[in-house]
Amino acid sequence: RRAAAAIYAAIINHVVPVSDMKAAELTKIFENTFRAVNIALVNELKLMCLKMGIDVWEVIEAASTKPFGFMPFWPGPGLGGHCIPIDPFYLTWKAREYDFSTRFIELAGEINTTMPYHVVDGVMRALNAQRVSLNGAKLLVLGIAYKKNVDDVRESPSLKIIDLLQSAGAQVIFNDPHCPVMKRTRNFDLEVKSVEITPELVKSQDAVLILTDHDAYDWDFVTEHASLVIDTRNATKAAKRKDNVVKL
């Protein structure tokens, strides 16, 4: 512990030693589990709000004005990254050795894991409203990284969503300014290159599906040229045109 603290102190302003390795490991896993559970809560809230016709992002923003006792988490198409989707299940596995069931954590994992399926179902419904079948539909996906402004696709829900859409017969292409190539991952082998966004390309698609809200995107450009925009991140909140936007 003293050696580790000395090493970290060379690059970190405030090192927090704990009693032993077990406490240190559980601290990290608890932090990731805390986020996973709260993201699951807002994802479930989003699904409920979709049925009620309420803007979940407006609700969260309003709740965030409370000066204490509330921490905003934001819904999305699913969880990604190396830590949050995986680490909580290390804890559930370990807990079974002690004859303990982590029901809360497992429920959160179930909700987050099913989000890509809800997105695909929402895409199908949005296309149906335009009298377009998902089978054969031309779809442009914006963003395959698991979160904005990074090039990390590990456990990205975008990959699962693309796989599900392709399995349903959709013709899917993607653009991601941070990921020029969709590289092979643990679960998917989709060797596809990012396409260049042009007005002609956007207009030629049956729908544009926003899965990662990178700052590099011009949302006014997207909404201006797309016939249908399906937004899973509230990225088009400030866009001038919204009549062709469906939020999921």
Side-chain angles (χ1 to χ4, degrees), residues 22-246:
K22 290 183 178 180
E25 183 66 13
L26 185 54
T27 298
K28 174 59 178 174
I29 294 180
F30 172 59
E31 188 269 334
N32 286 328
T33 302
F34 174 83
R35 287 190 285 169
V37 168
N38 280 280
I39 291 171
L41 175 62
V42 297
N43 278 333
E44 187 171 62
L45 181 68
K46 178 179 76 169
L47 298 177
M48 181 184 71
C49 284
L50 284 172
K51 290 184 175 294
M52 292 181 170
I54 300 172
D55 188 327
V56 66
W57 287 277
E58 179 184 5
V59 171
I60 298 170
E61 288 175 358
S64 299
T65 63
K66 185 179 180 181
F68 60 90
F70 182 82
M71 180 182 296
F73 288 81
W74 304 98
L79 277 185
H82 181 61
C83 296
I84 302 178
I86 297 175
D87 285 6
F89 296 104
Y90 295 154
L91 185 56
T92 62
W93 172 78
K94 191 66 178 178
R96 292 190 187 100
E97 292 186 11
Y98 296 86
D99 197 25
F100 187 83
S101 177
T102 52
R103 292 176 294 169
F104 211 74
I105 298 172
E106 292 177 23
L107 176 59
E110 179 183 330
I111 293 170
N112 289 327
T113 301
T114 60
M115 290 309 295
Y117 295 90
H118 290 293
V119 171
V120 172
D121 182 64
V123 170
M124 181 177 64
R125 286 185 281 105
L127 288 171
N128 283 344
Q130 303 294 318
R131 300 185 182 277
V132 176
S133 171
L134 178 58
N135 188 354
K138 294 186 291 185
L139 304 176
L140 168 61
V141 166
L142 297 184
I144 61 169
Y146 82 90
K147 67 177 181 179
K148 67 190 300 185
N149 304 331
V150 304
D151 63 355
D152 194 344
V153 300
R154 288 178 296 177
E155 309 301 321
S156 174
S158 298
L159 305 186
K160 180 64 176 179
I161 292 168
I162 290 173
D163 182 63
L164 291 171
L165 290 171
Q166 289 179 335
S167 297
Q171 302 174 36
V172 185
I173 57 177
F174 86 94
N175 171 274
D176 192 309
H178 301 279
C179 305
V181 178
M182 191 184 297
K183 299 178 182 179
R184 184 175 182 176
T185 64
R186 183 168 63 93
N187 295 315
F188 302 101
D189 186 9
L190 304 169
E191 288 289 339
V192 185
K193 292 184 178 181
S194 174
V195 299
E196 180 183 358
I197 298 179
T198 65
E200 294 74 23
L201 176 69
V202 175
K203 289 176 182 177
S204 70
Q205 302 300 297
D206 292 307
V208 175
L209 176 58
I210 301 171
L211 296 181
T212 313
D213 52 337
H214 293 306
D215 289 339
Y217 287 127
D218 182 343
W219 302 119
D220 282 326
F221 172 88
V222 173
T223 56
E224 178 184 351
H225 296 290
S227 59
L228 174 63
V229 179
I230 303 172
D231 186 358
T232 69
R233 297 282 191 176
N234 199 30
T236 57
K237 173 187 174 183
K240 295 175 183 177
R241 182 184 178 188
K242 293 188 175 67
D243 62 293
N244 59 343
V245 176
V246 174

